Amino acid sequence: MYERGDQDFFSAILSAKSLSEILTAADFFEKIESYDQRKLQEFKENRAYIEEVKARLEVEEVELENLKVETQAEADKVNGVISETRDTINVYSSQISDAEAAAEAYEAAIKQKEQDLAYLRKKLAEEQAMSREAANGVWRDISEVTFEENDRYLLANLIYCEAGGEPYDGQVAVGAVVINRMLSAKYPDTITGVIYQRGQFSPAGSGRLAIALAQNKATSSCYRAADEAMSGVTNVGTCVYFRTPIEGLVGIQIGHHIFY
């Protein structure tokens, strides 16, 4: 009836040949009216729901834009520090040596703390749980990533701090961990954000990375490993953590590190 438009209530009544047909037609059109009202109500409810979702998404879009601006500002800040440090390296060379010794002492203190079995078990359990969540979560493709100007410099020097004495495969693996975190929705989405996330990479927290950046200590193999990792190469799958071997830790061992 809707498609052809050739029948309405009155024409159906007038064309009826008996009371039975009139009653049947009336019942038929009553059901159509009821159906129309239900569908109209469903339409109104769906319209209201769509408007609500649209409003919420608009708010989230604004929040994401603000977060993007903040992240970019932080990246610019770090890049500025790197550039400034390069310019003043000769002036502060003796101070850097002292700072490097202090940083190494600080990291040694951290490692000493991790000898406490209860602390170590708790931290390892947290990291393993986060690793599982990351593996099962949302990931970007490396093709969706735009790197900042100093990302290569920063990553190569972190690789130097964490795996400068490791075989080349171990250096690639460290770089892959950083990139994996950047691609995972569970971690910051920039190299700067990942490396300087609180309590994650000890050289960043101790100041040893800043010293390496100031002197550009990264070797050619560290830069090559950074290039491979930034191109999407990973020899540790989706691992987002690594540490020296300890009892009960299972993962991919490369050199003196286990990746998990």
Side-chain angles (χ1 to χ4, degrees), residues 57-98:
L57 289 175
E58 288 175 347
V59 171
E60 291 178 356
E61 183 179 12
V62 172
E63 292 175 349
L64 287 172
E65 285 298 322
N66 290 338
L67 181 60
K68 182 179 179 181
V69 170
E70 292 174 4
T71 301
Q72 184 61 50
E74 185 64 22
D76 291 343
K77 179 180 177 181
V78 172
N79 289 335
V81 170
I82 291 173
S83 298
E84 291 174 8
T85 305
R86 284 173 173 172
D87 295 338
T88 57
I89 180 59
N90 292 328
V91 178
Y92 297 105
S93 57
S94 61
Q95 295 180 26
I96 287 172
S97 297
D98 294 339

Side-chain angles (χ1 to χ4, degrees), residues 37-67:
Q37 291 300 319
R38 288 200 310 274
K39 289 300 177 182
L40 179 59
Q41 183 61 32
E42 288 178 11
F43 171 78
K44 290 179 178 178
E45 291 173 355
N46 286 336
R47 179 71 176 271
Y49 173 73
I50 290 170
E51 291 297 330
E52 178 186 345
V53 171
K54 179 182 177 183
R56 187 169 69 247
L57 289 175
E58 288 175 347
V59 171
E60 291 178 356
E61 183 179 12
V62 172
E63 292 175 349
L64 287 172
E65 285 298 322
N66 290 338
L67 181 60

Side-chain angles (χ1 to χ4, degrees), residues 44-226:
K44 290 179 178 178
E45 291 173 355
N46 286 336
R47 179 71 176 271
Y49 173 73
I50 290 170
E51 291 297 330
E52 178 186 345
V53 171
K54 179 182 177 183
R56 187 169 69 247
L57 289 175
E58 288 175 347
V59 171
E60 291 178 356
E61 183 179 12
V62 172
E63 292 175 349
L64 287 172
E65 285 298 322
N66 290 338
L67 181 60
K68 182 179 179 181
V69 170
E70 292 174 4
T71 301
Q72 184 61 50
E74 185 64 22
D76 291 343
K77 179 180 177 181
V78 172
N79 289 335
V81 170
I82 291 173
S83 298
E84 291 174 8
T85 305
R86 284 173 173 172
D87 295 338
T88 57
I89 180 59
N90 292 328
V91 178
Y92 297 105
S93 57
S94 61
Q95 295 180 26
I96 287 172
S97 297
D98 294 339
E100 186 168 21
E104 290 175 352
Y106 178 77
E107 288 190 45
I110 293 175
K111 291 180 180 178
Q112 182 64 35
K113 182 180 179 181
E114 290 190 345
Q115 296 305 310
D116 179 79
L117 190 58
Y119 170 84
L120 187 57
R121 284 176 176 172
K122 179 182 178 182
K123 184 174 178 62
L124 181 58
E126 291 173 352
E127 291 176 351
Q128 288 174 322
M130 191 67 175
S131 180
R132 288 192 296 270
E133 288 183 22
N136 295 321
V138 177
W139 287 67
R140 292 188 294 167
D141 186 80
I142 194 67
S143 62
E144 303 174 54
V145 175
T146 300
F147 292 104
E148 299 294 333
E149 179 182 355
N150 284 310
D151 281 352
R152 179 175 182 262
Y153 184 77
L154 179 59
L155 181 58
N157 277 278
L158 177 74
I159 292 172
Y160 168 80
C161 292
E162 294 283 16
E166 294 293 306
Y168 178 69
D169 285 349
Q171 295 175 358
V172 173
V174 169
V177 164
V178 174
I179 300 301
N180 281 346
R181 290 194 184 194
M182 189 185 68
L183 298 179
S184 168
K186 297 292 182 181
Y187 297 90
D189 60 0
T190 64
I191 286 184
T192 300
V194 167
I195 291 177
Y196 286 99
Q197 187 177 18
R198 184 177 178 85
Q200 297 302 306
F201 295 94
S202 59
S206 69
R208 189 157 61 91
L209 175 58
I211 295 167
L213 289 168
Q215 297 176 306
N216 190 18
K217 285 196 169 184
T219 62
S220 59
S221 67
C222 291
Y223 274 105
R224 191 155 50 93

Side-chain angles (χ1 to χ4, degrees), residues 229-246:
M230 291 171 68
S231 72
V233 172
T234 173
N235 53 356
V236 290
T238 58
C239 291
V240 289
Y241 288 98
F242 63 90
R243 64 167 58 246
T244 53
I246 58 173

